[in-house]
């Protein structure tokens, strides 16, 4: 099984390599990731300048890696359109440092990367962990990624699977209370803007950190991670008829089993 991994936190992020290490045990992993943090770029792609990709040393034996001076979407476009000629069976984007839930999926570079895999007919998964001030742990998310890798490629789905998966923060596998197939909640974060005068000119810092005080609705991704549950949200047109949501019980059970929850 050939697996492509990208992310939006950049090629040096710990989450990316935690996932690459886990997936390397179940398939042939190729990493093509941005050379710097591209969080918040959504599905954007670079059309007005050239894009460069260089092969870089990988911390994991047997895993090839390329760094791209572009967006996660650029990475997937280059990986599938030029760097590699053999097709991929599966694609992951992540593990992202910070949740991508609710309407934030529309600004997420992590989800944006996975979208471009999905658009090319590759079963694609965006994988994220809720951010906290403490050191973020990726081990459980990597374990979830591995379980998903096994089950998603076997899905009997009328269309290409496109999943957005989020984990609660700071819990080991024993702290996860369950695995839910969810729908997107409302927007989790809004922006705050800081205006700064540096003595010559004014500039602004946009921060995507203002939590909304809405109480999340049960059944949504927001509710799931807030209640220490793994959230699996099917994205894409398949959601419209609910067919994939029904079929996802095997995926949910696979993750539950991997976490020792059954
Ligand atoms: Mn990110």
């Amino acid at each position: 099984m050939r697996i492509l991994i990208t992310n939006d936190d950049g090629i040096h992020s710990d989450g990316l390599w935690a996932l690459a290490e886990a997936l390397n045990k179940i398939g042939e992993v190729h990493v093509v990731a941005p050379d710097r943090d591209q969080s918040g770029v959504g599905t954007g792609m670079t059309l007005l300048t050239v894009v460069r990709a260089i092969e870089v040393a990988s911390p994991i034996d047997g895993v090839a890696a390329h760094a791209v001076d572009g967006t996660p979407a650029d990475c997937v476009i280059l990986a599938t359109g030029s760097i590699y000629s053999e097709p991929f069976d599966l694609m992951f984007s992540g593990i992202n440092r910070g949740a991508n839930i609710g309407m934030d999926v529309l600004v997420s570079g992590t989800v944006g990367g996975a979208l471009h895999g999905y658009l090319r007919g590759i079963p694609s998964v965006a994988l994220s962990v809720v951010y906290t001030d403490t050191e973020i742990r990726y081990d459980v998310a990597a374990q979830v990624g591995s379980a998903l890798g096994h089950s998603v490629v076997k899905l009997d789905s009328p269309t290409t699977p496109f999943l957005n998966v989020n984990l609660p923060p700071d819990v080991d596998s024993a702290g996860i209370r369950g695995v839910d197939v969810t729908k997107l909640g409302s927007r989790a974060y809004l922006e705050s803007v800081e205006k700064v005068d540096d003595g010559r000119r004014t500039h602004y810092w946009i921060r995507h950190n203002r939590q909304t005080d809405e109480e999340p609705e049960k059944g949504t991704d927001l509710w799931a991670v807030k209640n220490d549950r793994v959230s699996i949200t099917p994205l894409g047109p398949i959601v419209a008829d609910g067919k994939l949501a029904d079929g996802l019980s095997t995926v949910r059970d696979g993750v539950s089993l991997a976490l020792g929850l059954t």
Side-chain angles (χ1 to χ4, degrees):
M1 174 162 63
R2 284 168 57 80
I3 307 168
L4 173 64
I5 306 180
T6 194
N7 76 344
D8 78 353
D9 292 339
I11 198 149
H12 300 296
S13 88
D14 294 339
L16 173 78
W17 294 109
L19 180 61
E21 191 174 17
L23 295 180
N24 192 36
K25 296 183 179 112
I26 65 164
E28 184 188 315
V29 173
H30 299 269
V31 169
V32 181
D35 64 1
R36 69 200 78 172
D37 196 333
Q38 292 279 345
S39 297
V41 300
T43 63
M45 61 181 92
T46 305
L47 299 176
L48 301 178
T49 60
V50 298
V51 182
R52 296 183 197 282
I54 51 165
E55 191 161 9
V56 293
S58 161
I60 298 168
D61 274 352
V63 174
H66 284 79
V68 174
D69 69 341
T71 67
D74 293 337
C75 293
V76 179
I77 293 165
L78 294 193
T80 57
S82 181
I83 295 172
Y84 296 104
S85 51
E86 266 188 78
F88 289 97
D89 305 298
L90 185 62
M91 206 219 117
F92 273 84
S93 185
I95 303 166
N96 189 60
R97 182 169 175 265
N100 283 301
I101 44 183
M103 291 303 128
D104 278 346
V105 296
L106 298 172
V107 295
S108 162
T110 306
V111 177
L115 171 77
H116 281 268
Y118 162 74
L119 292 177
R120 283 157 181 78
I122 308 167
S124 296
V125 180
L127 185 56
S128 308
V129 179
V130 174
Y131 174 81
T132 57
D133 291 337
T134 55
E135 195 176 337
I136 195 159
R137 58 180 301 160
Y138 295 109
D139 55 338
V140 184
Q143 200 183 351
V144 166
S146 175
L148 287 167
H150 276 300
S151 55
V152 169
V153 287
K154 290 185 202 136
L155 265 182
D156 183 20
S157 164
T159 47
T160 306
F162 176 25
L163 306 178
N164 184 40
V165 179
N166 283 274
L167 277 86
D170 295 335
V171 283
D172 55 20
S173 52
I176 303 264
R177 290 195 191 148
V179 181
D180 293 349
V181 176
T182 57
K183 59 180 182 176
L184 288 176
S186 55
R187 198 156 185 198
Y189 294 96
L190 294 170
E191 290 70 39
S192 59
V193 181
E194 186 189 348
K195 184 178 176 182
V196 183
D197 190 331
D198 65 9
R200 294 167 68 88
R201 290 163 68 181
T202 301
H203 60 257
Y204 300 89
W205 270 112
I206 298 173
R207 296 195 174 91
H208 187 59
N209 64 356
R210 193 154 60 87
Q211 263 188 312
T212 54
D213 47 15
E214 270 175 55
E215 202 43 50
E217 189 191 331
K218 198 170 177 185
T220 60
D221 49 3
L222 272 155
W223 185 90
V225 295
K226 206 174 171 181
N227 287 279
D228 287 337
R229 305 175 75 83
V230 177
S231 167
I232 302 174
T233 316
L235 301 177
I238 31 187
V239 192
D241 59 19
K243 276 183 193 151
L244 181 61
D246 293 339
L248 276 176
S249 57
T250 52
V251 174
R252 182 197 58 212
D253 293 346
V255 173
S256 297
L257 189 65
L259 297 175
L261 293 168
T262 50

